[in-house]
Structures are given as structure tokens and as C-alpha cells.
Amino acid sequence: MTSTAPDLFLRYQNRVVIVTGGTKGIGEAIVRVFVRNGANVVFCAKEAAASDLEMELKESGPGDCIYVSCDVTKEEDIVKLIEATLKTYGRIDCLINNAGWHPPEQTIDDTSAQEFRDLLNLNLIGYFLAAKYALPHLRKTQGNIINISSLVGIIGQKHAIPYVATKGAVTAMTKAMAVDESQYNVRVNGISPGNIWTPLWEELSSCSPNPDATIVEGKDAQLLGRMGTGQECGKAALYLATEGTFCTGIDLLLTGGAELNYANKNQQKGRSSIYQ
Ligand SMILES: NC(=O)c1ccc[n+]([C@@H]2O[C@H](COP(=O)([O-])OP(=O)(O)OC[C@H]3O[C@@H](n4cnc5c(N)ncnc54)[C@H](O)[C@@H]3O)[C@@H](O)[C@H]2O)c1
């Protein structure tokens, strides 16, 4: 008998998907999951050179992919990304906004307005612009948008005011877009991951005074006692694009339970309080 493992079933065959920031981390894993499920994927990053991933996945299939150089902070690059997608595959069924960045720890005292604006441009306006230029084509296919947000957009995070603000805005924008696009049967959903082990996480932990301890803390922040994987994000995105046909405006918490339970969160031990 042949295997019927769900992973081998072509759940998005011949559908066309754009993934921003698809060369590493969560984006790369999403690209892999969609190509493995028969999709034609257009993925981008800022680098000019074609990605090795493109060659690897073209050979492995069963779907197809192309790499397009695109800096999502540049509107003209996003226009070219959409044009390249239509030229190569003729349609767009799904846009996955993922390209983003988490700066190293910063307090408000050492954050400039320009740094905040730059992060808004990347993490929020980049998502908005990709949606703006993809939507005329998504309306024709009754397709969908998936915005990779973050759990911290709802629960906050220490020393990350601009990042938290951009992700909170992504989650809110997802809902507003879902409201407006429902008349076209275009679904707009978000995924809010907890800690996912990616090159970004590795880079941020290496900037901390004790990287090993930071990684242990990162794992312990989840009830499940580990970080999530890019592949788990890819599978969640595949669900929203395929079977999740009654989901719109949702914020899928992919967190291993990081938001649950009381824990020791007191940062004021030893300090005097007017309530003592
Ligand atoms: N890793 C986590 O724990 C975690 C948790 C919650 C949310 N997220 C979000 O998931 C997304 C991906 O994070 P990751 O951990 O995989 O990061 P990563 O740094 O490992 O990968 C980021 C990808 O985005 C691309 N990118 C960065 N700037 C770009 C630009 N200006 N134009 C085009 N592409 C650009 C990079 O080339 C890369 O392909 C981000 O939006 C991040 O905020 C990550």
C-alpha cells in the first residue's frame, strides 16, 4: 500500500503564492511547504543574486518557484515583484507577508524617531504595500493574504517598543483589511508566532550577554518548553490558504502556549512602591 501521509498530498497544486522574505527562517520554511504541496511560489529578499533555494526547489518540486530581488521598503520593488509574478505564473492566489526584522533590545531612551520610522516602513508599510498591489489580482482569484505578525503585538515585550508597535499594527491592519475585502471573497488572516528558532533568533541571542542562557529562556517562555519551527509556521500558513475557507480576520496564535498562565513577571523587586 502506498503512504497517505498528508504531507505528500498536493494541497495547493498550481496555485500561485508570493512570500516576502523567503530566503531564510520562517519565510524559507513557508516556501518549502508550499512548493512541496504543488504551489508555484515567488519569493523575495533584498539580495540581488538568485537564491540557492530557487535551484534546489525547482529540482525537487513538485511545485515550482522563482526568486525575485525586492526590498519591501521600496514601493517600486514591490510593484516589480507583483509584475514578475504575473509574467511568470499569470495569477496570484495567496500573498504571505513575512519580511520583517526585530532590532536588538532597545529602551525608549536610546531609540530615535528615525529608527522607529524605518522599522514601521519594513514591518508594517511593506505589508500594506504588498497587499495594495496584490489585491487587484487576489480579487480575481478570490485568493487570500496571510500576514506574519507576532504574539508580542498583543502581550508586549521588554525593550522592544517599536517592534511591538509594528506587530500590534499588523494584527489590527489584518482585521481592517479582512473587513474591506470580504465583499470580494478575499480572506485576510494573520499568524502570531511565539519564539521560533530562526537565523533572526540566533542573531539576537548572540548579541545578548549570555547567549546560551537567552536561548534557554526563549524555550522556557513556551508551555511546550521549546521554540517552534519554521515548518510549523509553514503548515499553519498552508492551512489558512487551503482548508481555512471560513477564516477571515483571525489571528492564529502559533505560540506553544506562551501567552498562558501567570508567571513571575515582577520587574520591581527591591524597589519601593507607594502601595507597600
Ligand atoms: N523568529 C521568531 O521568533 C518570530 C516570532 C514572531 C514573529 N516573527 C516574524 O516572522 C517574520 C520572519 O522572521 P524570521 O525569524 O524568519 O527572520 P529572519 O531574519 O530569519 O528572516 C527574515 C527574512 O526577511 C528578509 N528580509 C529582511 N528585510 C527585508 C527587506 N527589506 N526586503 C525583503 N526581504 C527582507 C530576509 O532576507 C529573510 O529572508 C518577521 O516578520 C518576524 O517579525 C518571528
Side-chain angles (χ1 to χ4, degrees):
M1 234 170 88
T2 53
S3 164
T4 52
D7 229 27
L8 301 177
F9 186 65
L10 301 179
R11 288 160 63 193
Y12 218 48
Q13 194 167 22
N14 298 328
R15 299 295 184 95
V16 178
V17 185
I18 297 175
V19 182
T20 66
T23 53
K24 54 183 174 163
I26 292 172
E28 174 186 342
I30 292 173
V31 173
R32 288 182 182 279
V33 165
F34 277 81
V35 171
R36 198 181 317 126
N37 278 274
N40 297 324
V41 180
V42 178
F43 66 103
C44 77
K46 279 197 291 191
E47 289 71 30
S51 153
D52 291 345
L53 185 64
E54 181 186 16
M55 296 256 273
E56 181 200 321
L57 294 183
K58 269 184 175 303
E59 273 177 29
S60 68
D64 189 33
C65 68
I66 57 161
Y67 172 79
V68 175
S69 169
C70 163
D71 179 344
V72 296
T73 65
K74 296 187 175 145
E75 190 164 354
E76 63 275 18
D77 278 16
I78 290 180
V79 170
K80 283 184 197 150
L81 176 70
I82 303 296
E83 283 170 0
T85 305
L86 295 169
K87 192 169 165 225
T88 310
Y89 298 122
R91 56 186 281 151
I92 306 172
D93 296 281
C94 180
L95 165 68
I96 303 179
N97 276 316
N98 163 78
W101 186 58
H102 189 312
E105 288 200 18
Q106 54 185 166
T107 64
I108 193 164
D109 305 296
D110 52 39
T111 305
S112 70
Q114 194 52 48
E115 282 171 323
F116 199 153
R117 286 190 194 102
D118 289 345
L119 199 68
L120 277 166
N121 250 340
L122 172 61
N123 286 4
L124 179 65
I125 312 295
Y127 281 29
F128 164 77
L129 287 173
K132 176 179 167 66
Y133 289 105
L135 270 168
H137 309 283
L138 289 168
R139 289 172 190 148
K140 290 182 200 158
T141 58
Q142 303 194 345
N144 72 107
I145 295 175
I146 299 167
N147 291 324
I148 305 300
S149 188
S150 171
L151 173 64
V152 303
I154 328 167
I155 67 169
Q157 185 180 36
K158 195 177 172 187
H159 293 161
I161 292 169
Y163 181 79
V164 167
T166 63
K167 291 300 180 177
V170 165
T171 301
M173 182 175 74
T174 301
K175 293 176 197 294
M177 229 179 249
V179 171
D180 285 358
E181 294 307 316
S182 58
Q183 64 182 308
Y184 304 107
N185 271 329
V186 172
R187 297 178 297 112
V188 186
N189 291 298
I191 296 175
S192 284
N195 290 325
I196 308 293
W197 183 246
T198 65
L200 175 62
W201 225 107
E202 198 171 3
E203 188 188 305
L204 289 173
S205 59
S206 70
C207 301
S208 72
N210 185 343
D212 289 341
T214 303
I215 292 168
V216 170
E217 264 174 43
K219 290 178 180 170
D220 286 347
Q222 279 73 229
L223 285 183
L224 296 183
R226 65 172 176 88
M227 293 197 201
T229 65
Q231 195 189 47
E232 287 170 319
C233 298
K235 286 180 174 176
L238 184 66
Y239 165 74
L240 287 176
T242 55
E243 292 88 7
T245 49
F246 204 46
C247 296
T248 196
I250 73 159
D251 179 26
L252 198 163
L253 297 185
L254 198 75
T255 62
E259 72 281 12
L260 302 178
N261 202 8
Y262 280 106
N264 184 355
K265 292 168 182 169
N266 182 7
Q267 298 177 46
Q268 301 191 43
K269 279 198 186 113
R271 280 186 227 163
S272 62
S273 158
I274 56 167
Y275 298 111
Q276 274 172 354

